[in-house]
Amino acid sequence: MRELSRFSIRQLHNGLKRREFSVREIASAFLTRIEETDSRVRAFITVQPEQVVKHAEDLDRKLSSGELGMGFLTGIPLALKDNLVTQGTRTTAGSRILENYVPPYDATVTKRLRDAGALVIGKTNCDEFAMGSSTENSAYFSTRNPWDVSRVPGGSSGGSAAAVSSCQVPAALGSDTGGSIRQPAAFCGVVGLKPTYGRVSRYGLIAFASSLDQIGPFAGNVADAAMVLQAIAGHDSSDSTSAARPVDNYLVEVGRDLKGVRLGIPKEWFGSGLDRTVESAVRAAIGRLEKLGCSVVEVSLPNTEYAISTYYIIAPAEASSNLARYDAVKYGYRSPNPKDLEDMYKRSRSEGFGAEVKRRIMIGTYVLSSGYYDAYFLRASKVRTLIAQDYANAFETVDALVGPTTPSLPFKLGEKTEDPLEMYLSDVYTVTANLAGIPAISVPCAITDEKLPVGLQILGRHFQEGLLLRIGHALEQDLGLERPVLPAKGLKDLKDLKDLKDNE
Ligand code: GLN
């Protein structure tokens, strides 16, 4: 039998068009795959088999009666990170405080995917309120890296990355505040794109740090990521920070060659702290890009050394303000039998939030407090401008920047949980794109001898998602690293995962 769960969006779309299989068959294939693998991978907090099957049958009916035309995402199963609200479906943001929260509305991205005919198959695990780099801060369980289940999938969108990596869905959505799409994409050997701030509506994204948050796609290959981005990008009157600018045709961009593209390598990204294996994979990939027609020069981002401290002031500051809404009055967890109102706030928040979230609320409140505002938040905001200026300067001479997505290979579960600073440091190459608001993509660029994936990060000017997809696609085609061929190169496939389960 054909393994439909290995198919890309494009292959599923083409097969549906030729009526080689039905939406119902697609839905069953992916639901089965989830059932067979998720006890190992643990990507999903919620899966909705009945709703998905019903929706699939409905789509089949409408397609055969001609009531519905077929777009790229019609009948395609997708997973959403559990901080994207879904009407009628529990949305937890990985937190106890939202354990029983059933949103009365859809996020704009959810609505756009549904309007495009996609099947929302389930909600994926993430670090609590998207705070983390390993998905170990989820209040529910840790997701595993499908390449090696003793390792983390990255975070905070680890569930979405692992789901795509293990062929549980062809594509998924995540959110990226400081790397939460790109880093797990790199760790799981899939494509992950953080769009320009404002390119995708944040309406219905449970807020972490509102000036940094963006929603973006994960997929098994670059063209599929382009299709998903196409469906979710564009202005939305419900998000005043969404850009009115028209959306490019990403699929057209994807097909273009790389002649004349000028790439810059930030020299500060190749210093100490970068794993040797990651470095040589990234340098080799850049060499391939040169062969494909790009010119490559070294550039400087001199404020890189302040990236982590700047981000870890601004993000917690905004988080502490955003998370003030969880007062146990309007929705969310409420501690039983409080003494009085203040006790209710205190107990509900103490019991509802996990350790990392509390740490961020405390840091954020501190850096915003009147005595320390100037020394921390104000100063970080100024350095943020310098970081954005570094990029603007670099983009005067080059069209895109290339470098590692992460300083290391996927680390072991538990390896960094005792030391928050260690965990924060792993975000060094990703946080600055958010601070500057520019788009960035991570594409798989190598599989190491240990059979672990390495990601190449490509960054561009504001609204240049098309160029990033184009560069990523050319590299992917050159290296032959689309997800469907990964199992042959080491992805623990369905059978391996089953064996593991049986051996336990
Ligand atoms: N790892 C970073 C953090 O913990 C980024 C998280 C994200 O992008 N949501 O804040």
Side-chain angles (χ1 to χ4, degrees), residues 81 83 127 129-134 137 155-157 175-183 208 213 311-312 315 356 360 423-424 426-427 430-431 434:
K81 184 177 182 178
N83 62 354
D127 287 301
F129 288 105
M131 297 173 188
S133 312
S134 66
N137 294 336
S156 64
S157 318
S175 66
D176 189 312
T177 305
S180 280
I181 293 175
R182 290 160 286 154
Q183 184 254 22
F208 165 7
D213 298 341
Y311 172 84
Y312 277 98
E356 182 61 26
R360 307 253 181 143
M423 193 73 94
Y424 298 171
S426 66
D427 301 331
T430 48
V431 294
N434 303 73

